Amino acid sequence: MKLYNYFRSSASFRVRIALHLKGLTYDYQPVHLAKGEQKQAAFTAMTAEGLVPVLELDDGQRLTQSMAIIEYLDEAHPLPALLPSDAVGRARVRALAQVVACEIHPLNNLRVLKYLAHDLQASEDAKSDWYKHWVRLGLQSYEARLAERSGTYSHGNAPTLADCCLVPQIFNAQRFDCDLSGLPHTMAVFDACMRLDAFQKARPSACPDAQ
């Protein structure tokens, strides 16, 4: 398999975590978003979205969208499972994952921040306030959900799809100096995840293209 991704992309980070949790090997193919490589013809020919990550399978088929890719990996390589065996558990894990993937990330990804700065002429302070506001609001929701949990991770005693989404979001929040106070359950889960090799191997600073 080949993973077309960017070391700082949280969506790419999610997929790297899932691949490492499942012990799957892959060829790392860097696409430098800050340099606009995702807009080059060679990459846009692979995906209509022009976004990372893209997972190219051994037979040449290409999958897009991090959540869909992770669920494919969970179906194609069932162990260790990233979704619970029961329907309610799966719904809860997907809901947690979507707090990050649907409520926080779309408002704060690179192309949105660039649009705020370049097209809407938002100041650096305004852009920073925008970013921090949506991160804080989303993580407060995540924290409230975690207060209901039992176990070490977001759901139970093994990492799930939710943790694949949470950890990259915390990395980005720390990078942008967001307020992470008052989130004891969330940060405890983050710390537990980062004690695992799979999360360490997937982190941005461990990537070949880290700069």
Side-chain angles (χ1 to χ4, degrees):
M1 291 185 291
K2 294 180 181 179
L3 181 65
Y4 294 85
N5 73 138
Y6 178 51
F7 74 107
R8 278 184 176 160
S9 158
S10 59
S12 299
F13 192 173
R14 294 169 197 158
V15 174
R16 295 197 302 267
I17 292 169
L19 286 164
H20 285 294
L21 282 170
K22 290 183 175 292
L24 298 172
T25 58
Y26 61 96
D27 292 331
Y28 187 106
Q29 300 291 323
V31 180
H32 203 297
L33 300 187
K35 295 179 180 178
E37 291 180 359
Q38 75 279 16
K39 298 177 182 178
Q40 294 177 2
F43 184 71
T44 57
M46 295 183 186
T47 167
E49 299 101 314
L51 301 171
V52 293
V54 175
L55 183 68
E56 184 176 299
L57 306 181
D58 293 341
D59 63 3
Q61 293 187 83
R62 297 186 180 112
L63 306 180
T64 63
Q65 297 294 334
S66 63
M67 304 286 274
I69 292 171
I70 294 172
E71 293 219 25
Y72 160 79
L73 292 172
D74 212 37
E75 293 174 6
H77 307 275
L79 297 176
L82 298 179
L83 287 166
S85 59
D86 64 296
V88 171
R90 289 194 298 274
R92 182 175 185 275
V93 166
R94 287 184 175 117
L96 284 167
Q98 289 174 22
V99 169
V100 175
C102 301
E103 303 296 335
I104 302 175
H105 179 246
L107 292 165
N108 286 326
N109 66 18
L110 181 62
R111 61 180 181 170
V112 170
L113 297 180
K114 282 186 173 182
Y115 183 79
L116 285 171
H118 299 158
D119 294 75
L120 300 184
Q121 299 295 304
S123 67
E124 281 300 311
D125 285 345
K127 186 176 74 171
S128 177
D129 287 346
W130 168 280
Y131 186 98
K132 292 175 180 179
H133 170 79
W134 295 114
V135 168
R136 182 71 180 172
L137 194 64
L139 289 181
Q140 285 174 331
S141 297
Y142 203 100
E143 176 72 15
R145 288 295 187 96
L146 289 189
E148 308 163 356
R149 92 192 195 287
S150 62
T152 304
Y153 301 98
S154 293
H155 184 87
N157 290 312
T160 64
L161 171 64
D163 302 299
C164 293
C165 292
L166 175 65
V167 165
Q169 184 58 67
I170 297 297
F171 263 77
N172 279 352
Q174 291 173 333
R175 179 174 165 233
F176 285 93
D177 197 28
C178 296
D179 179 11
L180 296 175
S181 64
L183 303 170
H185 300 290
T186 302
M187 297 311 296
V189 168
F190 172 77
D191 291 340
C193 289
M194 294 312 299
R195 288 193 286 269
L196 300 179
D197 285 346
F199 288 84
Q200 288 290 334
K201 290 176 181 177
R203 72 191 192 281
S205 60
C207 293
D209 58 334
Q211 298 176 8

